[in-house]
Amino acid sequence: MKDQNCLFCKIIEGDIPSSKVYEDEYVYAFRDINPQAPVHVLVVPKEHIASVDAVDPGNSAYVAKCFEAIAKIAKAEGLVSGYRVISNCGEDGGQTVMHLHFHIIGGVKLSEKIV
Ligand code: 5GP
Ligand code: ZN
């Protein structure tokens, strides 16, 4: 189900253009408009899920599909030495778009380490 006021739902629908890197029945992935590394891809479920905090037994299959896609995209992008997957959640987590997304960041040795 899509949310008509949601930026990423509009990107999934093609109403807002994006640089697509992967798509299947459950997942859409595209390049971040403001990349923080040579590879910066956003992986989003095609179901509108607001954030990690809204994951439940009824929608968690979309999360699994996102991670299957992440592994495929990382290989396709040549991230053989590793990468980071980040999901900011809520205000304190720094989330700015309220549609669940996973940042794939890589293509360079990442130095900042929070955890
Ligand atoms: P958050 O801060 O919610 O974790 O991540 C949102 C991400 O979406 C940011 O990295 C931001 O650059 C990206 N973003 C925001 N608007 C657009 C857009 O219209 N197109 C694309 N490709 N990325 C966007
Ligand atoms: Zn949405």
Side-chain angles (χ1 to χ4, degrees):
M1 202 200 304
K2 303 293 188 293
D3 178 332
Q4 291 187 339
N5 298 314
C6 170
L7 175 65
F8 287 174
C9 282
K10 289 178 186 164
I11 284 178
I12 292 163
E13 292 292 290
D15 294 339
I16 292 175
S18 65
S19 176
K20 179 170 88 170
V21 299
Y22 176 85
E23 182 174 19
D24 65 29
E25 191 183 343
Y26 304 95
V27 177
Y28 188 82
F30 54 103
R31 298 198 191 279
D32 197 294
I33 205 166
N34 182 24
Q36 303 299 308
V39 175
H40 188 168
V41 173
L42 299 173
V43 180
V44 307
K46 286 189 171 177
E47 174 86 1
H48 179 84
I49 302 169
S51 73
V52 169
D53 209 41
V55 174
D56 62 28
N59 61 28
S60 61
Y62 281 91
V63 179
K65 292 293 183 186
C66 282
F67 276 86
E68 289 180 35
I70 286 168
K72 287 181 194 162
I73 293 163
K75 286 180 184 67
E77 294 288 321
L79 300 178
V80 290
S81 307
Y83 53 94
R84 196 168 288 161
V85 179
I86 297 171
S87 189
N88 296 322
C89 180
E91 193 179 346
D92 283 2
Q95 185 178 7
T96 59
V97 179
M98 291 305 288
H99 181 127
L100 177 65
H101 52 281
F102 300 98
H103 299 254
I104 303 175
I105 295 172
V108 68
K109 176 79 176 168
L110 299 166
S111 55
E112 290 174 41
K113 214 157 169 53
I114 296 172
V115 289

